[in-house]
Amino acid sequence: MPFNVWTRWIKRRVPTSLWGRSLLIIVLPVLIMQAAVTWAFFDAHWQAVTARLSEGLAGDVAWAAESYRDDPSARNLALISERAERSMQLSIAFQPEASLPAEERRGALGLVDRTLEKALASRLDQPFWFDTTRYPAYVDIRVQEADGVLRVIAPRERAVATQAHIFVLWLMIATVLLLAVAVLFIRNQVRAIERLAHAAEAFGRGESVPRFKPHGAREVRAAASAFLDMRSRIQRHIDQRTALLASVSHDLRTPLTRLRLELALAPPFKRAEAMKGDLDEMEHMIDEYLAFARGEAGEAAQTISVPEMLRRAAEDARRAGAAAQVETPDDLNMLARPLAFRRAINNLVGNAASHGEHVRLSARPLPSGGLEITVEDDGPGIPEDMHEEAFRPFSRLDASRNQNRKGVGLGLAVARDVARSHGGDITLGRSELGGLKAAIRLPADRRAP
């Protein structure tokens, strides 16, 4: 398999989060080290010790068999048994006229059996048989003699290094303790980064995190301090822009009010109504500029009833002369800034009612846990290649939408800004009614019980 294929295969299976990757950096080397130490221990120590023990036991069994073969009398057998019991911890018995068992009894791994068999084969000339599984604390060895079978019962520690599991147990305990300390340390470090990410995401949605303070490693604290400085500069810029536009709005309303008053006091003339219409449009444009600059960023999030909000928007569409219908579950709620989100919905519904005769508002929960709100109309729609252009501030589209008959081209821009500040977005598409379909999709954390 090519190297780049292996690289892609590994990348797809490596954790994507910092927490998972940091844990992998700690856990993987520890596990590899434990496996290497365990393998080296069993290969270089345990097997060597077991082989030496098996050779010693095989030598004792060979001595007993040779001693009995030199003098196969009951008196000599008793003397061999007494000496073997006292000096070698071996229990020796003779079974007259017996033969070796036909079946072999071997352990699951077979490592001890192979070592003991090799040692016995090197020391004994006559046939033998052994069993390391029947008795947990003993090894049964039988040697074929001319007149029967010489049976030797030896303690298991005479043939196997039985304390090896203690070493492995202590190694595992030490590894678990080391990993626990590493996990706690990594978790604390990653939590600082997660809090920084949460604060940045909340600020992007127009929410404030007043209790956020830099903590964690030095580099993380530096990044958090830089974020706080950046947030302060951006907020200061927004406040200055809002204050400037509010002042401009106030200054412009003063002459507009004088003009409206002069028109009201002036004698009737031919262009009076047209001039009043121009004044109304100018006032509406000033309100839209200010709303776009302000964006209701300081508003606190609250639980909103989606059906109630859509029904109010539908009433506004009916007052504008369009037939409106609402399709939504009755128990659907969301967490949002009420004024900002209602303004976004009203902008979409106002556009739909302005360019179509039928408006349909619907909402539904998404399989991912989020929420989708759609506004559809039966108007001329917007060409697909101009969907992104429609979201640009002050954008005036071609005749397909009648040149934005009212307003300055900020409706969709304000609606998208509100949706994105709530963690979602707006997409445009073709409606089943034949016109435009605007869909607001919000993430799962905006669903409210």
Side-chain angles (χ1 to χ4, degrees):
M1 185 177 293
F3 178 76
N4 57 347
V5 176
W6 276 108
T7 303
R8 289 196 300 269
W9 184 85
I10 293 174
K11 286 182 178 180
R12 284 196 297 267
R13 283 155 179 81
V14 169
T16 57
S17 65
L18 178 62
W19 159 250
R21 292 189 175 187
S22 300
L23 194 62
L24 185 64
I25 291 173
I26 297 297
V27 171
L28 191 59
V30 170
L31 293 179
I32 293 176
M33 180 192 68
Q34 182 180 6
V37 170
T38 304
W39 176 82
F41 169 76
F42 277 100
D43 184 68
H45 176 73
W46 186 82
Q47 291 188 30
V49 172
T50 300
R52 296 296 182 270
L53 292 174
S54 296
E55 289 175 1
L57 178 60
D60 294 341
V61 173
W63 167 82
E66 291 176 359
S67 298
Y68 175 76
R69 200 176 304 112
D70 292 340
D71 183 9
S73 62
R75 180 174 176 276
N76 186 40
L77 178 62
L79 181 62
I80 294 173
S81 299
E82 190 272 333
R83 289 178 178 176
E85 181 73 26
R86 184 179 66 251
S87 303
M88 308 173 189
Q89 299 180 326
L90 301 180
S91 176
I92 298 178
F94 185 75
Q95 298 175 343
E97 305 299 331
S99 59
L100 297 178
E103 62 173 350
E104 291 186 355
R105 301 176 65 91
R106 296 291 186 265
L109 298 178
L111 181 61
V112 176
D113 297 322
R114 289 193 299 270
T115 303
L116 183 58
E117 183 176 14
K118 181 179 179 181
L120 291 173
S122 64
R123 295 300 184 96
L124 295 174
D125 295 331
Q126 54 269 57
F128 61 88
W129 179 92
F130 64 91
D131 181 10
T132 60
T133 61
R134 175 175 294 181
Y135 309 110
Y138 297 95
V139 176
D140 184 1
I141 302 175
R142 304 183 190 186
V143 181
Q144 184 69 59
E145 299 293 344
D147 53 347
V149 172
L150 187 67
R151 186 179 186 184
V152 180
I153 303 296
R156 191 174 185 84
E157 58 264 20
R158 288 289 320 269
V160 184
T162 56
Q163 302 301 316
H165 63 282
I166 297 180
F167 169 80
V168 178
L169 178 62
W170 279 108
L171 182 63
M172 292 179 63
I173 292 175
T175 301
V176 170
L177 292 177
L178 176 62
L179 291 179
V181 173
V183 167
L184 291 177
F185 177 78
I186 294 174
R187 191 66 191 131
N188 289 333
Q189 299 303 312
V190 173
R191 187 178 289 114
I193 301 176
E194 290 176 345
R195 290 177 179 174
L196 175 59
H198 173 71
E201 183 180 2
F203 178 65
R205 295 197 301 260
E207 303 172 0
S208 62
V209 186
R211 296 184 179 179
F212 174 73
K213 294 181 180 180
H215 71 285
R218 181 177 59 187
E219 292 80 1
V220 179
R221 291 199 302 269
S225 299
F227 163 73
L228 291 176
D229 294 340
M230 179 194 69
R231 185 177 69 175
S232 299
R233 289 193 295 268
I234 293 176
Q235 190 63 50
R236 188 162 54 247
H237 171 72
I238 293 174
D239 294 341
Q240 290 175 351
R241 186 184 68 169
T242 303
L244 174 63
L245 289 174
S247 300
V248 171
S249 174
H250 179 269
D251 294 342
L252 289 177
R253 279 195 175 94
T254 300
L256 286 177
T257 303
R258 289 200 302 264
L259 287 174
R260 192 181 298 276
L261 181 60
E262 292 176 2
L263 281 175
L265 297 177
F269 59 96
K270 185 177 180 181
R271 298 290 300 171
E273 291 300 325
M275 293 179 67
K276 289 181 180 179
D278 291 339
L279 289 176
D280 292 338
E281 185 175 354
M282 290 176 66
E283 189 171 2
H284 178 74
M285 291 168 61
I286 292 173
D287 291 337
E288 283 201 349
Y289 289 149
L290 185 59
F292 178 72
R294 187 174 63 246
E296 286 84 19
E299 187 183 7
Q302 300 177 17
T303 300
I304 303 175
S305 172
V306 176
E308 179 65 21
M309 178 180 62
L310 296 186
R311 279 193 286 267
R312 289 184 180 181
E315 288 297 329
D316 294 339
R318 296 187 186 102
R319 283 194 291 268
Q325 64 181 53
V326 178
E327 299 176 359
T328 176
D330 293 332
D331 57 347
L332 195 58
N333 299 321
M334 64 179 294
L335 188 66
R337 298 193 299 277
L339 294 179
F341 207 85
R342 283 168 183 157
R343 178 175 177 81
I345 294 296
N346 289 337
N347 285 351
L348 296 179
V349 173
N351 285 342
S354 176
H355 300 96
E357 298 181 356
H358 296 84
V359 179
R360 181 168 65 190
L361 295 84
S362 60
R364 66 183 181 94
L366 297 175
S368 60
L371 176 67
E372 182 184 64
I373 301 175
T374 59
V375 178
E376 303 175 70
D377 62 62
D378 60 350
I382 297 177
E384 185 175 354
D385 58 348
M386 299 191 68
H387 283 177
E388 287 302 317
E389 177 70 20
F391 286 110
R392 294 180 59 184
F394 313 110
S395 174
R396 287 184 167 276
L397 302 180
D398 59 10
S400 65
R401 299 290 283 186
N402 294 328
Q403 296 289 339
N404 287 327
R405 289 177 294 186
K406 182 179 180 181
V408 293
L410 288 175
L412 288 176
V414 171
R416 169 169 275 189
D417 183 63
V418 171
R420 288 182 172 177
S421 69
H422 286 76
D425 202 355
I426 296 182
T427 57
L428 300 181
R430 193 68 179 176
S431 169
E432 295 178 356
L433 301 179
L436 185 68
K437 175 182 178 181
I440 303 178
R441 290 184 176 86
L442 300 175
D445 58 357
R446 289 297 169 179
R447 285 279 302 277

